[in-house]
Structure formats: C-alpha cells, structure tokens
Amino acid sequence: MTIVAIALAVLAAVALAYGALYQHDAVAGQNDSHNGLSWAHFKELLSNRKWLIGLTITGLGTLGNIGALAMAPVMVVQPIGAFSLIVSVLLGVRHRGLKVNRRLVQAVVWCTVGVTIFVALSATTARTNVHLGSDALPLVWITAAVVLVGLGIMVFFRRAPQLVLITAAGLLFACVATNTHLVSVQLLRAGFDQVTWLNVIGLVAATAIGSWFVQNAYAAGPPEMVIAGLTVIDPIGAVILGSIVLGEAATAPAWLIVVIAATGLVACLGVVVLSRYHPDVHDREHQRRVARRTDRCNDTDQLTDTEES
C-alpha cells in the first residue's frame, strides 16, 4: 500500500506543477493583478478557460494525494510533492522562457535533495495511528489557530510579499493534509460513525483560505515560487504535525529526528534562496522600482505646476 501511495503522490506532484502553470498564466494575465487579487479578479477567473483547466488538473492531483494520504503516513506522502518543483522549473523553461541561473539550480537541488532524504528517512520510521474522539481534537485547535492567522493576513495585509503568501498557504495546506489523513484513517479503520466532523470542518476552512493565498501568490510572483512553498513548507509542516500531534514518529530514535529536521531545514533554505534569486522576482522588483521612480517624478511635476500656477 505504501508503494501505491508513493506512486499516487508522484502523479499528484506532476499534476500540481501543470495546474500551477495554467493558473499562474491566467492570474498574471489580469490587469492590475500584481496589486493583489480582489474579489472582482476572482470572479473574472471563474470564466477564464485557462484558469479552469488549471483548477481541474490541480483537483485531480488533489484527489490522488488524498488517496495516498489514506494509504500511508503523512510523513511519507506529503514530502513527495517536492518532485513538482523540478517539473515546474522544466515547464517554466519550456513554456515561459525561464532563464536558468546558478542560484536557481542550487535552490532547486537543495529543495529536492533535502526533501528526498526527508521522505526516505521518514518512510523507515513513520507509523499510522487511529485517533478517535478527543484524541483528534489537538489537531482541530492547531488548525483553527492557523486559519485565524490566515484570516488576519487576508484582512490586514492585502499586498503581502509572495514569500509571506506562500508560507501562509503552505502552513494551511499542511493542516489540510494532516486532517485529511486523520479523517481518512478514521473512515477506513473505524467506520463513518467515528469520523470527527470538527476535523472535517477544519480541513475545509484551511483549504478555502489556503487556496485564496495560492491565487494571490500567483499574482505576486512566479509559479515556481508557489510550487516551492507548497512542496517544502507544506510537507515539513505536515510532517511536524504528523510526528508530534499524530505520533507517527513515536518509535524513532532521537538521532533520526535530528537528521530529519536538518534535511527539512536545508529544503527551507532552498525556498529562501529561490525567493531572492529567481529571475522573475528580480524582473518584478526592477519594474516596481521603476514604477516608484515614475510616480515620484509625476508627483514632483504636479507639485511644481501647482506652485507655478
């Protein structure tokens, strides 16, 4: 079952990369989308063919990932999504003319190697446990806290940097993955009447808000950054929840936990490097600086004209 789960997770990773390509193109093509994705932008996307294709592909990948989470521990399944980062970069080179530089390659290698070792080590120690009733509630409270933080960012930081957006999305989808695994195991091993519906509500809320962050992240920068966040921050958050809250790593020795944590840190550093040295990020920063200078010049000209009159 673990092998089947890994295969499904790989297919889901490929689907995520293709879905991100289509949705990013649709979102980035909207007028003024770089200033943040408004409700008007979102309603416009609902009639955008390219965005809907991306949504469908992402949905199919999500179903595959749910199936994988039902068959194997979170610690094994979620990190496999890092494979989509490689696919996303290759798609960017082919379809968007992405220029590959040394820093970009290093960041992708760090993310991929770190998460690959992470998965390999986790697979040797992770164990699935059934959590029923009150045993499932700690995950509910953690999910609720992350959802509230996400709502706060949505309300007070409409133009948040892309790194903030993908970090929030990654943490929210980590909660989604962990709750999905918990509920799936409850359903398959204990029956429908043992499902804790607070966990279901939590994963639905985290999915909705996390999806909003993802679309805003597409508007704020390149899709490779979004993929990096979802395939590194999401898995690492899910593994922490799986190991600590669900007890999947209860039998692991301390040294193995330290090594797993170190490989996760390497993957996270790869995301930070990617956020600083991605060619599209540099281009957008240059465009923002030029726009600021233009605005200042226009303001100065207007002030001069006012004084002369």
Side-chain angles (χ1 to χ4, degrees), residues 255-308:
W255 67 266
L256 184 58
I257 298 297
V258 171
V259 174
I260 289 175
T263 58
L265 179 61
V266 169
C268 287
L269 290 175
V271 176
V272 174
V273 172
L274 191 62
S275 71
R276 292 189 60 188
Y277 295 101
H278 192 289
D280 288 0
V281 173
H282 276 290
D283 291 343
R284 281 176 176 262
E285 286 301 318
H286 176 70
Q287 292 172 4
R288 289 191 184 99
R289 284 194 291 269
V290 171
R292 289 193 194 103
R293 292 194 197 103
T294 303
D295 291 339
R296 290 194 194 102
C297 289
N298 291 337
D299 291 341
T300 302
D301 291 341
Q302 290 176 0
L303 180 60
T304 303
D305 293 341
T306 302
E307 290 175 349
E308 290 177 352

Side-chain angles (χ1 to χ4, degrees), residues 177-200:
T178 314
N179 278 286
T180 299
H181 172 73
L182 184 147
V183 171
S184 298
V185 171
Q186 288 177 338
L187 183 63
L188 294 176
R189 298 192 182 184
F192 184 80
D193 59 327
Q194 293 298 318
V195 171
T196 48
W197 293 102
L198 284 175
N199 291 93
V200 176

